[in-house]
Amino acid sequence: EVQLVESGGGLVQPGGSLRLSCAASGFTFSSYAMSWVRQTPGKGLEWVSAITGSGNTYYTDSVKGRFTLSRDNSKNTLSLQMTSLRAEDTAVYYCAKEAAAAGTGYFQHWGQGTLVTVSS
Amino acid sequence: DIVMTQSPDSLAVSLGERATINCKSSQSVSHSSNNKNYLAWYQQKPGQPPKLLIYWASTRESGVPDRFSGSGSGTDFTLTISSLQAEDVAVYYCQQHFNTPNTFGQGTKLEIK
């Protein structure tokens, strides 16, 4: 059974940093692209970043230069380093598994999410 | 970015009746090279993450009941629930996976009439 467990969310001040992690199990982690998708009541669902099985990364424009996505295939772990956080980054962040190593763009499995709140 | 617009925003349907949700993209999400439509549908229940129902516009994900079906091409797509069950109460989202950034519709809230 595929399991994705996010951690690392919390309250951070504007301009601060946070590192989200996603522990994956139940599948061959290195064979699938992975993404982070965030959700807010106001903006709905928003794709944030993706990484292919081989490590190529992609970001939505609003987080480029501030967020860094990485993966450790030996530890089955996905990490999102978030810096220069803004109020508009406040959201529930979901770790999501795609359907192929190169990425398919749709999300077969999702974690339960971790809440990030950016506020002073 | 491709803008995805769903209609209606909310919908109330009687148990056993058909529910239809529409999704329109601001540009075509069909690839001429493979004739595939890069459109997915998700179901989200309160307190839960989204669940993949349909991808490639009409391919049902494993384990999804066959009362759920997807159709459409180009810029216009439809999710149909043929006979609404109580457990289908949820918010439904479409998403284009044609290019980056992948974008979602605003969601359609489905309730029982």
Side-chain angles (χ1 to χ4, degrees):
Chain A
E1 179 194 2
V2 171
Q3 284 201 324
L4 301 170
V5 180
E6 302 96 337
S7 60
L11 174 63
V12 61
Q13 292 188 337
S17 300
L18 213 54
R19 186 178 184 88
L20 304 184
S21 295
C22 173
S25 60
F27 64 101
T28 303
F29 183 68
S30 59
S31 295
Y32 294 90
M34 300 292 295
S35 281
W36 287 94
V37 179
R38 64 189 180 186
Q39 185 171 31
T40 63
K43 289 190 69 177
L45 289 164
E46 180 186 25
W47 170 81
V48 174
S49 181
I51 186 167
T52 65
S54 59
N56 295 318
T57 54
Y58 305 86
Y59 301 92
T60 193
D61 282 349
S62 64
V63 308
K64 280 180 184 173
R66 300 188 300 122
F67 290 12
T68 303
L69 182 58
S70 61
R71 66 190 298 160
D72 185 336
N73 288 337
S74 67
K75 296 182 178 178
N76 292 352
T77 300
L78 184 71
S79 296
L80 183 67
Q81 179 67 47
M82 305 186 295
T83 63
S84 302
L85 283 162
R86 306 166 180 167
E88 54 264 35
D89 296 318
T90 295
V92 174
Y93 284 72
Y94 293 104
C95 169
K97 170 185 168 290
E98 298 195 28
T104 54
Y106 61 87
F107 311 109
Q108 270 190 323
H109 297 94
W110 299 62
Q112 288 299 310
T114 187
L115 176 62
V116 172
T117 303
V118 184
S119 175
S120 54
Chain B
D1 299 0
I2 298 176
V3 177
M4 308 300 292
T5 304
Q6 293 180 227
S7 62
D9 289 334
S10 62
L11 179 64
V13 174
S14 299
L15 289 173
E17 296 299 305
R18 178 185 300 260
T20 301
I21 298 170
N22 301 300
C23 176
K24 189 174 184 68
S25 57
S26 61
Q27 65 188 72
S28 176
V29 297
S30 298
H31 220 296
S32 56
S33 64
N34 58 12
N35 271 335
K36 285 188 171 182
N37 292 283
Y38 289 59
L39 193 285
W41 288 97
Y42 300 86
Q43 175 193 66
Q44 186 176 30
K45 297 181 179 180
Q48 297 183 19
K51 173 189 174 183
L52 178 66
L53 298 175
I54 304 279
Y55 56 96
W56 303 130
S58 60
T59 302
R60 200 177 301 115
E61 172 69 343
S62 175
V64 173
D66 60 7
R67 64 180 181 273
F68 291 91
S69 63
S71 63
S73 66
T75 61
D76 292 282
F77 299 90
T78 299
L79 174 70
T80 301
I81 307 172
S82 60
S83 177
L84 189 71
Q85 305 299 303
E87 61 265 31
D88 300 334
V89 168
V91 179
Y92 292 83
Y93 296 93
C94 63
Q95 178 227 346
Q96 63 82 15
H97 51 102
F98 182 76
N99 63 13
T100 301
N102 307 314
T103 47
F104 293 83
Q106 80 277 16
T108 294
K109 186 174 185 179
L110 177 59
E111 298 173 314
I112 304 294
K113 185 186 289 183

